[in-house]
Amino acid sequence: MVHPNIPKDYWKAIVDCDEAYDDHFLYGVKTTGIFCRPSCKSRVPNKENVKIFKNASMALEEDFRPCKRCKPEGLNLPTEEWIEHIAEWLDKHFCEPLTLNKIADISHGSPYHLQRSFRRVMGMTPSEYVQRLRIEKACSLLESSGQSVAEIGLAVGFSSIPYFMTLFKKKKGITPMTYRKNNSMKATKERE
């Protein structure tokens, strides 16, 4: 049965990673869609994002995926599916400050395993994937908004504008300003 309010002893078990509760319940994290044993060593989630399950089949019925780190009830998510879910999460959160450790923590895996698996499945590292998403979004904003290059760099998740401009030029072969100019000329020609 799913508990709308988490009993105090269950929450304490999650916070303390208490193995004694592993046979009593599992918990899912709504923001990641992953479910764990109480003893999981992953980062403690926000209490309002936690859902309690009596067993793994109940969590699976609600489309939660088993944690790669603690493997609740011996379940293991296939690597390809795990990486797909991480990529979907990155598609929505690429503007946030992200590190390999943060992505590994959120996805309940080790940074080394995540890096290796992501590269094998996606053909690039998580960092390269995030950079690609940010550059694509920057191109879209350069084409459609009047924001400055600096504002766009910050809006798509780069904390350093010089790094954004350098990476943009490396990936696109031109600066963000040249990209914007070329696109506005192209748009003008298409309207004529």
Side-chain angles (χ1 to χ4, degrees), residues 6-42:
I6 302 166
K8 281 187 178 132
D9 59 331
Y10 280 21
W11 180 245
K12 185 172 175 9
I14 293 168
V15 171
D16 296 343
C17 302
D18 191 343
E19 288 179 25
Y21 280 82
D22 280 359
D23 294 333
H24 298 279
F25 73 97
L26 298 169
Y27 72 94
V29 182
K30 296 174 199 168
T31 50
T32 62
I34 293 171
F35 70 96
C36 299
R37 301 170 190 260
S39 65
C40 188
K41 301 291 186 223
S42 295

Side-chain angles (χ1 to χ4, degrees), residues 86-150:
I86 294 168
E88 286 171 17
W89 187 87
L90 290 172
D91 290 345
K92 294 180 191 125
H93 297 89
F94 67 90
C95 292
E96 298 172 16
L98 296 171
T99 62
L100 182 62
N101 284 340
K102 181 176 180 179
I103 298 166
D105 203 27
I106 286 166
S107 60
H108 296 213
S110 76
Y112 176 75
H113 181 63
L114 169 62
Q115 179 92 340
R116 222 182 42 212
S117 300
F118 202 95
R119 184 188 297 270
R120 184 174 57 76
V121 173
M122 302 297 285
M124 64 184 85
T125 67
S127 174
E128 291 165 337
Y129 186 81
V130 168
Q131 285 176 354
R132 195 186 81 209
L133 291 169
R134 288 175 175 172
I135 295 295
E136 285 172 8
K137 181 65 175 170
C139 288
S140 172
L141 290 172
L142 286 164
E143 293 167 21
S144 66
S145 83
Q147 290 177 291
S148 72
V149 169

Side-chain angles (χ1 to χ4, degrees), residues 29-74:
V29 182
K30 296 174 199 168
T31 50
T32 62
I34 293 171
F35 70 96
C36 299
R37 301 170 190 260
S39 65
C40 188
K41 301 291 186 223
S42 295
R43 186 168 44 129
V44 176
N46 291 334
K47 194 172 184 179
E48 66 271 11
N49 294 329
V50 171
K51 195 165 194 175
I52 302 296
F53 298 101
K54 206 74 178 139
N55 56 46
S57 61
M58 292 179 80
L60 292 166
E61 278 175 29
E62 292 201 30
D63 291 328
F64 281 83
R65 302 174 308 280
C67 174
K68 279 293 234 194
R69 189 173 283 163
C70 69
K71 299 177 181 72
E73 293 189 13

